[in-house]
Amino acid sequence: MKIWQKNIEVNKNIEAFTVGKDRELDLKMAAFDVLGSLAHVQMLESIALLSAEELAEIQVALKKIYAEIAAGEFVIEDTVEDVHSQVEWLLTQRIGEAGKKIHSGRSRNDQVLVDLKLYFRSCIEEMAGNTSVLFDQLIELSNTHKDKLLPGYTHLQIAMPSSFGLWFGAYAESLADDMELMLAAWKVCNKNPLGSAAGYGSSFPLNRTMTTSLLGFERLNYNVVYAQMGRGKTERILAQAMSAIAASLAKMAMDVCLFINQNFGFISFPDELTTGSSIMPHKKNPDVFELIRSRCNKIQALPNEIAMMITNLPSGYHRDLQLLKENLFPAMVSLNECLQMATYMLQNISVKADILKDKKYDYLFSVEVVNELALKGVPFREAYKQVGESIENGTFKPLTELNHTHEGSIGNLCNAEIEEMMAEVLAQFKFEKTHQAIEKLLA
């Protein structure tokens, strides 16, 4: 029987439709369901809803289930509806009546909420870690290739001199800003909804501050109605942060696909990291970056998908919210894979030197010539006109010696400052605090 079922057998077609992919997706939350239960039962004992003996018995059994999950031995049986039911059923089978008491003071609603927030915290830490590794790789490449010039484009027309230092560094700083959004998502996820029950609280004298501390949350979702309203909102905010990272990756992937093209020829990768054609023996395709581009464009659609699924839902729980997992869970896996693969590819990138010595890039230096005239006292508009006329009549001569010294320019990348920005953001997550709380809970 389901934990909510009474004496009526549920129609099998209805059951299959309503359960959907929950068993498969809930496996990802299994360890976090046990953690939530460990905190909850410790609180129940503190308010005399469990005896000390019952608590000890439950804790031992829950920790054994946690170990089974870690070892890959945990399954959600076909006769069981979801992870919460499976854990409670196992507990009751193993220790009897005490297992039936663990649901006191909570609902599946707040049980799902706390499981999701704990799971999202773990996923955010993984995404932040992978983003940080890619960031470090970009900074390293920026510093290594800072003196190698690259055409800069506007409207996909050659514009002004750039450099590989600027190009790699630009995406590093972009990721640093993206992590500001991920930090905001972390702060929303790091609030405890446990004890809100079905969204209206409980007549039991629950100690929600205690479970907040036990699970390493920064603070509570105080209002119990709002705690329930957080379902969907939390996912949308997390998706927005993921979308920001995905947008940076997609743009970088597009640049790579252009720059590896033979008409550009700025970068290359080892043959074994590219793919070929079934009929064209010369082909070396950037399939990895094409897939990163497409995957990340899918992730950029995720906030809107979630928004459409929760739009116009009134307060309180609705079964619509179950489907959010089907969109969000695979997207988190995909984003991590894209971050890891982008890092691996960039570890093997080759950068061409002396690109701008090609005569076709002479006009990139037109602004340098205008600025040089202006520095000699010629009014800027007059200097612009003179250089424009020299281009039109074919007498233009480039000034290829660059003197860009201001902050963030070719000669002054400010990578140290960008690294400091990223470090400051990452320090605010305080992952170690949550680790310590969970380790203590499992001790």
Side-chain angles (χ1 to χ4, degrees), residues 41 50 53-62 65 86-103:
V41 296
L50 286 174
E53 293 75 17
E54 288 172 326
L55 172 62
E57 189 178 19
I58 292 170
Q59 285 174 323
V60 169
L62 283 174
I65 294 172
Q86 182 70 44
V87 170
E88 187 173 325
W89 182 84
L90 281 176
L91 201 61
T92 303
Q93 290 296 305
R94 294 176 182 182
I95 65 173
E97 290 300 307
K100 296 179 181 180
K101 295 185 176 183
I102 70 166
H103 204 60

Side-chain angles (χ1 to χ4, degrees), residues 130-131 133-138 141 167-168 171 175 245-246 248-254 256 269 273 287-293 295-296 334-349:
N130 285 326
T131 303
V133 173
L134 176 57
F135 172 89
D136 290 343
Q137 180 64 35
L138 288 164
L141 288 167
W167 184 62
F168 287 120
Y171 285 106
L175 291 176
I245 297 171
S248 295
L249 282 178
K251 187 180 287 290
M252 183 176 72
M254 183 62 209
V256 170
F269 295 93
L273 301 187
D287 285 13
V288 168
F289 283 99
E290 290 172 345
L291 289 170
I292 288 174
R293 180 176 60 195
R295 282 191 184 207
C296 287
S334 185
L335 182 57
N336 277 316
E337 290 175 348
C338 288
L339 287 163
Q340 292 165 350
M341 191 55 68
T343 302
Y344 178 72
M345 292 298 289
L346 291 178
Q347 287 168 349
N348 293 277
I349 195 171

Side-chain angles (χ1 to χ4, degrees), residues 146-152 159-167 356 363-372 375 399-414:
K146 64 182 179 181
D147 296 323
K148 293 179 182 175
L149 297 181
L150 176 73
M160 290 179 65
S162 180
S163 71
F164 282 103
L166 278 178
W167 184 62
L356 299 194
Y363 291 150
L364 283 169
F365 298 95
S366 66
V367 178
E368 306 303 318
V369 179
V370 171
N371 289 351
E372 181 67 17
L375 286 169
L399 181 66
T400 57
E401 186 174 330
L402 300 178
N403 188 32
H404 296 198
T405 59
H406 68 75
E407 299 92 330
S409 63
I410 290 174
N412 185 9
L413 295 174
C414 292

Side-chain angles (χ1 to χ4, degrees), residues 354-398:
D354 300 324
I355 295 170
L356 299 194
K357 287 185 178 180
D358 191 315
K359 287 291 183 183
K360 69 173 173 280
Y361 296 122
D362 280 358
Y363 291 150
L364 283 169
F365 298 95
S366 66
V367 178
E368 306 303 318
V369 179
V370 171
N371 289 351
E372 181 67 17
L373 289 171
L375 286 169
K376 291 177 179 177
V378 179
F380 181 84
R381 284 300 165 204
E382 180 59 30
Y384 177 93
K385 182 180 179 182
Q386 288 180 25
V387 174
E389 289 174 350
S390 73
I391 290 172
E392 289 176 9
N393 62 33
T395 61
F396 173 76
K397 293 182 180 179

